[in-house]
Every structure is written in C-alpha cells, then in structure tokens.
Amino acid sequence: MPAIPAWPPASTPRLFTGLPLGPDAAPVIEGAAAHYLLNVMRLKSGDPLLLFDDRSGEWLGTIAGTGKKSLTVRIERRTREREAVPDLWLCFAPVKKARLDWIIEKATELGIARLQPVITERTIVERVKRERIEAQIVEACEQCGRTALPELAEPVKLPHLLKDWPAGRALLFADEEGGAPLAGLDAPAPAAILTGPEGGFTDRERAALLAVPAVRRMSLGPRILRAETAAIAAVGLWMGLHGDWAANTLQG
C-alpha cells in the first residue's frame, strides 16, 4: 500500500500573527506576510498554513480565501500548546549591525526567554532599532519552531541594570580576565548571562559587577572571543547544563 502522506506537510509555511487564535478564529493575513505567502510561496485556497500567536500555541489552518493583498485562514486544530522556555535572560552590549543580527537570531533559536540590551562604557552602538530586532525575533521563531517569543526589554545602562538586579537571579558575568567554567558555578534557572562590547568591560565596571552578590564570574575558555561569539557560546553552555537541552529538561 502507498504510504499516507504526512499532514500537514513538512514544507507547510509557518507564520507568527499578532491576532488571537482559537477554534473559532478566522484571521486575515495582510501586508508583507500576505505578499510572501501569495506571491513567493504561491499559496492558494485550500493550502495548509501553521500559525502561532505567542499566547495560545500553534494552530493548523487552511487558506479559506485570497485577495490581491490579503488572505483569510480557517483554523482547523491546535497542533501544539505554547511552550515553556527556560528562565534565562541574555544581557548583552549591542554591537555593530550584522553581528547584532546574529546575536538576536541565534539566541532566539537557542531558547532565550528575555533579551536585554545593556549600554556599557565601551559600547559603540547605543541606539537599538527595536522594530528591526522584533522582526528578527519573529523570523527566528518562525524558522526554529518556537511558539513563545522572547521578551525584548528596553536598553539600560549597566549601573541601572545592577542597581535593580533581582536578588534571586544569578548573573553570569562573562569576564575576559578569568572566572570559573560554567559547570562549576551554581547557576540554574532563574539566571542571566551578561556579555560585553567589542572592547570589553572597564575596570570600574568589573569592580561594580563583582560587588553584586548575584554575580558569578564565568570563563568561556582560553581564547579571546568576539562579543557575539561569547554571547551565543554562553547561552549554549547554559542550555546544555540547565536548560531544555539537558537530560533533566526544564528547571525553575
């Protein structure tokens, strides 16, 4: 007997929508997303589509109707509940455009819960285009299968970040001058990782960090890493030890 094809097919487009989804919803897709689905993917009435809304999970729908610049979706069923992600924040000094794009994309794929831009004394890029970062978050979530978008916080200067730091959350400080390997630190969720700018942290910033009880100095090995490499390496290490890559699944 011929094999029954999988439904929906693995090639089914997956799209984030800010519209609430549910069994009775009939979301209308417009704008750039509609253009992509209709003119690039060449979808038509009856074709399947996966939607997620960052609230209720992921839903399978079919295209009920199309216009020149929009399409209507009929919801068929929920395919997945909204996921629980590990309670890990990435606090990072913004870097130049392409490298910042890479941090956002990869941190989202790895499962970060919150992205916190931090302005340090040596930060070159102090203005962060929120709309651009939000678009990159959405695109990464669509690609990697996430059903929960990471929170994007407003940029904050390092002294203010430390002043208001929650006592129960370990802050893993990626210190280029030394520290302990992550495996030797007591830092399960809730936790956060802090990485610096291209020029690293100043002596004054390092002293301020080490004065915070929640801070743990973390080493990322014997080589000098670029800011974006350090951020993603640290997140990957933490996910393997304490996050949803670990054998004991989620903690916290």
Side-chain angles (χ1 to χ4, degrees):
M1 293 180 61
I4 298 174
W7 188 261
S11 59
T12 299
R14 188 170 184 275
L15 185 71
F16 169 74
T17 175
L19 302 170
L21 299 174
D24 300 323
V28 177
I29 309 300
E30 299 177 308
H35 171 79
Y36 173 76
L37 295 172
L38 294 172
N39 300 313
V40 178
M41 298 297 294
R42 300 291 184 182
L43 298 188
K44 57 187 183 302
S45 294
D47 284 343
L49 183 64
L50 290 169
L51 299 175
F52 65 104
D53 60 1
D54 194 33
R55 293 184 290 271
S56 61
E58 178 188 82
W59 298 79
L60 172 65
T62 54
I63 297 178
T66 63
K68 289 185 177 180
K69 297 181 179 180
S70 66
L71 56 91
T72 304
V73 180
R74 178 176 60 251
I75 298 297
E76 303 290 348
R77 59 181 172 85
R78 179 157 48 195
T79 55
R80 286 191 292 155
E81 300 282 347
R82 186 179 188 273
E83 68 189 296
V85 295
D87 190 2
L88 178 67
W89 300 355
L90 176 59
C91 305
F92 62 95
V95 291
K96 293 179 181 179
K97 186 177 178 181
R99 300 188 187 280
L100 177 59
D101 293 349
W102 198 80
I103 290 175
I104 301 303
E105 178 184 87
K106 302 310 176 188
T108 300
E109 290 179 18
L110 292 175
I112 208 76
R114 189 173 194 248
L115 292 160
Q116 173 65 72
V118 180
I119 308 303
T120 69
E121 292 183 25
R122 291 175 176 163
T123 299
I124 298 174
V125 180
E126 295 194 5
R127 293 186 179 182
V128 177
K129 294 183 178 179
R130 186 177 181 89
E131 289 184 3
R132 177 184 176 85
I133 293 180
E134 288 175 340
Q136 290 167 334
I137 287 173
V138 167
E139 184 176 344
C141 287
E142 290 174 343
Q143 183 277 326
C144 74
R146 282 189 67 158
T147 57
L149 272 62
E151 177 188 355
L152 176 60
E154 292 295 331
V156 63
K157 292 186 177 181
L158 180 60
H160 293 104
L161 179 79
L162 299 180
K163 179 183 177 183
D164 299 327
W165 192 257
R169 182 177 296 274
L171 178 55
L172 296 164
F173 164 36
D175 189 353
E176 62 269 24
E177 293 195 357
L182 181 57
L185 298 174
D186 181 23
I193 290 166
L194 173 65
T195 57
E198 285 100 333
F201 294 98
T202 65
D203 291 340
R204 177 167 53 184
E205 289 173 330
R206 182 173 288 101
L209 279 160
L210 297 179
V212 177
V215 166
R216 312 279 190 273
R217 289 179 75 203
M218 175 177 61
S219 170
L220 292 175
R223 287 168 287 280
I224 298 173
L225 304 181
R226 287 185 179 273
E228 68 275 14
T229 307
I232 301 310
V235 172
L237 283 170
W238 191 94
M239 287 294 176
L241 288 169
H242 303 297
D244 51 12
W245 293 10
N248 56 353
T249 65
L250 296 181
Q251 296 185 23

